[in-house]
């Protein structure tokens, strides 16, 4: 697989995210690592990943983050979710992996494997 074409939206403090990176590296793949907290995706990228993953915005939002409850996002529509995620990238669940074989939220980390084989 062309390692330059594997992208990981990564949070170095997340054990699942670190495990996905290790799984990739164990297979000889050095992905493009995007610290999405420091370099958040723009509107188009977030919508593209939500669509490609099949999860939609609701499936990519991190419900465990305190901002989710603070902003009352449980009943929010897609436009409100999108605005909240763009404003506060901590609300984006991770790790998201983009490969030529597909895009997936890789929780648990082993869910990255079908994207590689």
């Amino acid at each position: 697989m062309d390692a330059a074409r594997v992208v990981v939206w990564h949070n170095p403090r997340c054990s699942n995210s670190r495990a996905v990176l290790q799984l990739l590296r164990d297979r000889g793949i050095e992905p493009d690592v995007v610290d999405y907290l420091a370099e958040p995706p723009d509107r188009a990228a977030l919508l593209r990943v939500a669509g490609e993953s099949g999860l939609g915005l609701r499936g990519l939002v991190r419900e465990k983050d305190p901002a989710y409850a603070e902003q009352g996002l449980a009943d929010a529509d897609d436009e409100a979710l999108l605005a909240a995620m763009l404003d506060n990238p901590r609300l984006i669940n991770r790790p998201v992996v983009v490969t030529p074989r597909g895009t997936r939220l890789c929780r648990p980390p082993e869910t990255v494997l079908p994207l590689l084989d």
Side-chain angles (χ1 to χ4, degrees), residues 36-56:
Y36 70 95
L37 297 175
E39 299 175 38
D42 62 17
R43 178 183 181 89
L46 192 51
L47 287 171
R48 185 185 71 250
V49 164
E52 288 176 359
S53 69
L55 295 173

Side-chain angles (χ1 to χ4, degrees), residues 9-108:
W9 288 6
H10 176 64
N11 178 345
R13 294 173 37 203
C14 172
S15 62
N16 283 310
S17 197
R18 291 190 310 268
V20 163
L21 278 181
Q22 190 61 53
L23 284 168
L24 292 170
R25 289 173 174 155
D26 287 349
R27 284 157 180 76
I29 298 169
E30 186 56 44
D32 291 335
V33 178
V34 176
D35 179 345
Y36 70 95
L37 297 175
E39 299 175 38
D42 62 17
R43 178 183 181 89
L46 192 51
L47 287 171
R48 185 185 71 250
V49 164
E52 288 176 359
S53 69
L55 295 173
L57 292 168
R58 176 71 52 196
L60 286 180
V61 72
R62 183 166 174 76
E63 296 177 0
K64 293 181 181 180
D65 193 280
Y68 181 83
E70 291 166 6
Q71 295 181 32
L73 297 175
D75 296 322
D77 63 15
D78 277 357
E79 200 54 44
L81 284 176
L82 180 61
M85 294 163 83
L86 291 171
D87 185 51
N88 184 355
R90 286 187 348 230
L91 287 166
I92 302 169
N93 214 341
R94 76 288 178 149
V96 171
V97 178
V98 180
T99 76
R101 296 197 65 184
T103 299
R104 181 174 287 170
L105 173 63
C106 293
R107 298 178 73 86

Side-chain angles (χ1 to χ4, degrees), residues 1-7 97-103 114-116:
M1 167 160 304
D2 179 3
R5 297 191 62 204
V6 176
V7 177
V97 178
V98 180
T99 76
R101 296 197 65 184
T103 299
L115 294 176
L116 308 178

